[in-house]
Amino acid sequence: GREARAIGAALAAGDVGAARRQLPHLCGRDPEALDEQQIARAVVESVAENTSDAVVGALVWGAVAGVPGLAGFRAVNTLDAMVGHKSPRLRRFGWAAARLDDVAGFPGSRLTAALAVAAGPDPRGAWRVLRRDAGRHPSPNAGPVEAAFAGALGVRLGGTLAYAGRTEHRPVLGGGNRPVTPADIERAVRLSRRVGALALLVCAGSRLAYDTLRRAGTHGRPPGAGKGGA
């Protein structure tokens, strides 16, 4: 949120150069060829994806397996960010990290998308775009998250991207919505914060309920149950 707001402030001040210099702090795209609208779109997409990867997914695995689960998920996600690219140099080396991240990120991305629909300013629009466009994204986890954010904010995400000299043409998410503007960065950050807070409640509440039921089941066993014997 802090990095996104810094870029948004630079764009609001008309300093596209400063926004380009700041963008690599948030995502790995090549900023030099991006105009104001494209920078704003990159920021909103990164806020959406990082909400899942850095917040909700970590909370989910923390609820499942405690601190080791949380740290393990972040390690997998960071490894994917470092080497899980489709570049000629890393294609054969990074595929395992990318596929492992797809598996680990599945539950967090679905919870993020669901909470973005529920917490956004346009739940019906978010649900419509999520259902229609999520599967069009090349990433099985970024697709639902970015589609839900696009629908919730009423903006259009996706399109042409540039990563370190490599160009990708991705499908548009939220086609028919308006293009992203710098003002949407603040809206995306606020939605991300709401989703994170709800995810904390869901994950903590689920873990507390599970522990309570497990203790109740253990206390309700008759003496000697589960110890074997004739």
Side-chain angles (χ1 to χ4, degrees):
R2 182 172 60 250
E3 296 294 344
R5 282 173 166 151
I7 299 170
L11 292 176
D15 194 345
V16 178
R20 289 192 181 115
R21 291 190 295 272
Q22 192 77 18
L23 186 62
H25 297 180
L26 184 65
C27 64
R29 298 185 194 178
D30 182 1
E32 295 306 317
L34 302 182
D35 59 20
E36 179 184 86
Q37 190 276 324
Q38 291 169 324
I39 293 173
R41 190 190 81 197
V43 172
V44 171
E45 290 172 352
S46 296
V47 167
E49 192 168 357
N50 280 303
T51 301
S52 176
D53 290 343
V55 180
V56 180
L59 289 171
V60 168
W61 283 104
V64 170
V67 172
L70 188 154
F73 171 77
R74 290 300 299 139
V76 168
N77 188 250
T78 302
L79 183 63
D80 175 57
M82 293 174 66
V83 300
H85 304 292
K86 295 182 179 180
S87 66
R89 178 169 178 251
L90 297 176
R91 182 184 299 274
R92 296 177 64 186
F93 179 73
W95 71 268
R99 298 292 76 79
L100 182 60
D101 183 66
D102 287 344
V103 173
F106 185 91
S109 66
R110 270 60 189 177
L111 179 59
T112 303
L115 294 177
V117 170
D122 185 6
R124 294 181 62 183
W127 176 243
R128 182 176 63 252
V129 175
L130 175 63
R131 290 183 59 192
R132 185 188 67 201
D133 296 341
R136 303 174 65 196
H137 197 285
S139 168
N141 294 332
V145 173
E146 291 187 19
F149 267 68
L153 299 174
V155 299
R156 188 167 63 243
L157 301 178
T160 302
L161 311 175
Y163 290 93
R166 175 174 52 88
T167 301
E168 292 185 14
H169 301 282
R170 294 183 179 176
V172 172
L173 308 178
N177 291 348
R178 61 175 176 80
V180 179
T181 68
D184 292 313
I185 293 175
E186 178 63 27
R187 298 176 65 225
V189 171
R190 290 179 180 176
L191 177 57
S192 174
R193 294 287 171 85
R194 291 196 295 271
V195 169
L198 289 173
L200 177 60
L201 292 175
V202 169
C203 293
S206 298
R207 181 68 194 196
L208 180 62
Y210 171 78
D211 289 343
T212 300
L213 291 173
R214 186 178 61 176
R215 286 195 297 269
T218 301
H219 293 160
R221 290 180 181 178
K227 295 183 179 180

